[in-house]
Amino acid sequence: MSTTVDRAAAPDTGAGLDVETLLTELTLAEKASLTSGSGFWYTTPVARLQIPKIMVSDGPHGLRAQPGDADHLGLSGSLPATCFPTASAVASAWDPELLGRIGRALAQEARACNLSVILGPGINIKRSPLCGRNFEYFSEDPFLTGELAVGLVDGIQSRGVGTSLKHYAANNQESDRLRVDAQVDERSLREIYLPAFERVVTASQPWTVMCAYNKVNGLSASENLWLLTTVLREEMGFAGLVVSDWGAVYHRVPALLAGLDLEMPPALPASPDAVVAAVESGEVPIQELDARVRTVLELVSRGMHVLELDESFDPDAHHALAREAAAASVVLLKNEGLLPLRAGASLAVIGELARTPRFQGAGSSQVNPTRVDVMLDELRAAYSDVEFAAGYGLDGTTDDESLRAEAEQVAARAGTVVVVLGLPAADESEGFDRTHLDLPANQLELLRSVAATGAQVVVVLCNGSTVVLGDVVPHAGAVVEAWLGGQAAGGAVVDVLTGVVNPSGKLAETVPHRLEDNSSYLNFPGDSQVVRYGEGLFVGYRGYDRSHTDVAYPFGFGLSYTSFALGDLSVATSGSAADGTLAAVVSLSVTNTGPVEGAEVVQVYVEDPESSVARPVRELKGFAKVRLAAGETRTVSIDLDQRAFSFWSVANRRWAVEAGEFVVAVGTSSRDLPLRQTLPVEAPSLARPLTRDSTLHEWMADPHGRELVSREVAAGQPGSVLEPDLLSVIGTMPMSTLANFGGMSLDQAALDRVAHEWQLAAQNPSNQTGTAS
């Protein structure tokens, strides 16, 4: 699917640096110094040659800029900035264009504080709902993640500010994150953990990519030549700078040789000294160092124009955008007619989080907001005489019993009660993983008590990652997932509750019934500094679907105050899988059949019912968000390219399409796909070349191979390897092994003849008496 984000040209960045001339003028020591930063947030300047330093800052959902000397961890004292919804929230909007607008706002705030590179977005896949940093990542699905990230990166870089795509790669947990070895097979890497990086690199060329802390298959990401050079630069075509996560360089010289350009923060003077010594000893060719220095100089050249800017941003306009984005991110999970709230309703609000909002995650992404909307205040502005009770404490030291009793009294006097529940900051953060998916026990006890009063209950959830809802849904007439919606979340949630905004959010991650249902459960977070990705490809909905596991709310699910109908599906194909041009256009009609304007997300999944390799039941390969007036119908077209039908062939070391029938399924969630069309696809055979070590089954599956084996067996002695009863037992054995067995009618000499003839025929197909694969 192609995004519609405006890719306006970046503002004029001026003359910049003469990089090639500077490479001839820099001393060895100066070159080495440039491959490490200077301080927590700056590149290294070289005053002698008028090379300035530029500033970078955390900022996936809001800037955390710290001009000058930062504290030792870079975690406090940042400038005020707009706190937009976290990635887990805004992903539920399924709207790359909205991400583009947020990106442009972030870039303007960066320009206002002379900041050159924003360290984001984070695009790691939500392998487990327990990951403590899931609030900072978009989705369990690589396609959705990639499309949303393209929107954000294009928006930021259109304003002449750089981005840093992170954390590359397989950084899917916080437990022992600096040392853990993520052991993951290549096919799972290629199909799940790398595609979002590939999408953003090929579509948007982020200025930088940030390597992860962890090891990948035995090698630290910062020292992983295959990841940083073979895949990222040579295969994906990345042309920017690779920067370390802060503290992710463990051995500077091996990291430099692997393709890591910039170490942050610097290990001074150890790292530059080690680089100088390695060049002088011949361990590092000067050309290799020059390549690293070149990318640093190119980054400085691109980013230095902001140093002289004298710009500002409109905090009110950015707050309004944050409110719009937060409202678009809300997912309506349940509604038994309670929402939208009636004008003049007798309303009470219960829950400390309504008064003391939690609207962002903790750790390196924490923003100093320009202002904060409080849900309780916003509801009181919309309704008169709104009673409030805290209901529970957030710090574990309050008298929950007395708070609960007060809440029961307040609920008994109200017609409708908005109960605000969620995860306290201590429950999820960068630096540690969760151990369960439950809401706090004191909050669940409160909900049961409030529901027992007979009041109509609307639950609003404020959490950065998935929670199980088995103890929530039965006690509520409506459930609203508001996530960590940023500084304007309080007002945005009220906009949805009152019907000012019709909810259109869709889940970007599955909500399971139990943690144990998740495919990573037995292999997360690992032990002994190793985590094995034993579930392979079957992450998120791919795992639930493959195991036929019922879920509470499926990937892509979300209700609205209106209704929609999909119809008139057509799928038109073009091109050929043989030359990589296979494509399809999926077209359908979408009608708003309800009473109010609303937006629906049309989701396209591809299924490969018969495959020679294990494949997910279905995979998201396209989507479109469509806004329609009541009664309006519109035709939607979504493009699929060849990758939508492909898998990574380990045997052929490339993306491959298998001939056969595919199913294009269209609907409004991964488990609500009413429109389906079967699509025949022709593609070249993927069979491996036959050798002496191919199995008997593989020889018999090849027409020419079967002919050759049958000929030799017919000329041999009784006891044929082709006897049906025997074939079912020995068919998986290599032919070279079978030829050693006496009485099998096919000895080593016969096998040599067969293999030789097959190779000749494969090289000269016209000489075959049968048809080779």
Side-chain angles (χ1 to χ4, degrees), residues 41-267:
W41 303 117
Y42 292 92
T43 61
T44 295
V46 180
R48 181 179 71 84
L49 296 174
Q50 297 182 316
I51 299 172
K53 64 180 180 181
I54 61 171
M55 182 182 174
V56 303
S57 169
D58 285 312
H61 55 267
L63 297 188
R64 198 169 61 82
Q66 295 178 301
D69 294 329
D71 64 278
H72 70 289
L73 287 177
L75 293 177
S76 65
S78 60
L79 297 174
T82 306
C83 181
F84 289 96
T86 59
S88 65
V90 77
S92 296
W94 288 59
D95 192 344
E97 189 276 334
L98 175 62
L99 267 295
R101 292 167 58 204
I102 293 172
R104 289 191 287 276
L106 287 170
Q108 186 55 44
E109 296 192 19
R111 292 167 67 88
C113 60
N114 307 109
L115 175 71
S116 297
V117 178
I118 296 172
L119 301 176
I123 62 169
N124 295 109
I125 297 300
K126 297 183 181 184
R127 173 180 175 244
S128 168
L130 293 176
C131 176
R133 211 168 177 178
N134 273 354
F135 64 85
E136 204 172 324
Y137 304 139
F138 289 116
S139 178
E140 66 188 32
D141 181 77
F143 181 85
L144 178 60
T145 295
E147 295 303 309
L148 298 177
V150 164
L152 187 61
V153 169
D154 283 348
I156 293 171
Q157 295 192 169
S158 72
R159 297 288 297 131
V161 174
T163 57
S164 194
L165 207 60
K166 63 185 186 182
H167 307 87
Y168 185 74
N171 182 189
N172 308 106
Q173 65 186 63
E174 294 299 284
S175 299
D176 209 7
R177 60 177 176 162
L178 273 73
R179 302 184 303 172
V180 72
D181 182 7
Q183 296 186 358
V184 51
D185 66 278
E186 185 179 357
R187 188 172 165 219
S188 297
L189 278 171
R190 297 282 191 172
E191 294 191 26
I192 302 296
Y193 299 103
L194 296 181
F197 288 95
E198 179 185 14
R199 172 65 176 139
V200 182
V201 166
T202 56
S204 308
Q205 279 295 338
W207 288 15
T208 76
V209 168
M210 183 187 294
C211 84
Y213 285 122
N214 52 282
K215 297 181 179 71
V216 179
N217 294 328
L219 278 176
S220 296
S222 61
E223 300 172 26
N224 199 309
L225 180 69
W226 182 79
L227 276 177
L228 301 187
T229 297
T230 303
V231 175
L232 182 63
R233 286 196 167 99
E234 296 174 1
E235 296 182 15
M236 296 184 190
F238 178 59
L241 175 142
V242 176
V243 61
S244 71
D245 201 345
W246 266 232
V249 174
Y250 311 112
H251 309 97
R252 186 62 188 103
V253 172
L256 186 145
L257 289 169
L260 186 123
D261 301 299
L262 180 62
E263 175 193 38
M264 292 296 288

Side-chain angles (χ1 to χ4, degrees), residues 199-486:
R199 172 65 176 139
V200 182
V201 166
T202 56
S204 308
Q205 279 295 338
W207 288 15
T208 76
V209 168
M210 183 187 294
C211 84
Y213 285 122
N214 52 282
K215 297 181 179 71
V216 179
N217 294 328
L219 278 176
S220 296
S222 61
E223 300 172 26
N224 199 309
L225 180 69
W226 182 79
L227 276 177
L228 301 187
T229 297
T230 303
V231 175
L232 182 63
R233 286 196 167 99
E234 296 174 1
E235 296 182 15
M236 296 184 190
F238 178 59
L241 175 142
V242 176
V243 61
S244 71
D245 201 345
W246 266 232
V249 174
Y250 311 112
H251 309 97
R252 186 62 188 103
V253 172
L256 186 145
L257 289 169
L260 186 123
D261 301 299
L262 180 62
E263 175 193 38
M264 292 296 288
L268 300 176
S271 288
D273 288 351
V275 171
V276 169
V279 172
E280 291 177 340
S281 71
E283 180 182 1
V284 173
I286 189 63
Q287 296 87 351
E288 191 72 25
L289 176 59
D290 283 350
R292 306 282 77 78
V293 174
R294 180 180 287 106
T295 60
V296 174
L297 292 175
E298 288 171 347
L299 177 67
V300 173
S301 185
R302 297 175 84 175
M304 62 189 287
H305 70 282
V306 306
L307 301 178
E308 304 303 321
L309 295 179
D310 183 15
E311 296 184 1
S312 61
F313 69 94
D314 183 342
D316 292 335
H318 286 193
H319 184 81
L321 175 59
R323 184 165 179 158
E324 177 189 346
S329 304
V330 167
V331 181
L332 181 60
L333 296 177
K334 178 182 180 180
N335 188 21
E336 295 180 343
L338 271 66
L339 297 178
L341 296 171
R342 293 179 296 103
S346 171
L347 193 67
V349 178
I350 295 175
E352 183 60 46
L353 286 168
R355 179 174 63 182
T356 308
R358 179 167 181 252
F359 54 89
Q360 64 174 320
S364 63
S365 67
Q366 194 158 332
V367 179
N368 179 13
T370 58
R371 57 192 271 200
V372 177
D373 288 350
V374 176
M375 197 184 309
L376 177 60
D377 296 342
E378 297 289 331
L379 278 167
R380 282 177 165 164
Y383 293 88
S384 59
D385 300 323
V386 174
E387 281 199 85
F388 170 75
Y392 56 81
L394 296 174
D395 57 7
T397 62
T398 22
D399 183 354
D400 288 320
E401 187 173 346
S402 63
L403 292 177
R404 191 161 54 248
E406 177 193 12
E408 291 172 0
Q409 295 174 4
V410 169
R413 292 193 293 268
T416 301
V417 180
V418 176
V419 180
V420 184
L421 308 176
L423 295 177
D427 281 23
E428 56 179 348
S429 171
E430 178 179 356
F432 62 86
D433 293 317
R434 293 192 290 165
T435 57
H436 59 79
L437 300 182
D438 300 321
L439 287 166
N442 60 345
Q443 295 186 25
L444 295 175
E445 183 62 32
L446 165 73
L447 178 61
R448 286 189 289 269
S449 298
V450 170
T453 68
Q456 294 182 315
V457 176
V458 176
V459 169
V460 175
L461 299 168
C462 301
N463 45 287
S465 48
T466 300
V467 293
V468 291
L469 299 174
D471 291 327
V472 174
V473 174
H475 303 296
V479 179
V480 172
E481 175 58 86
W483 306 108
L484 300 182

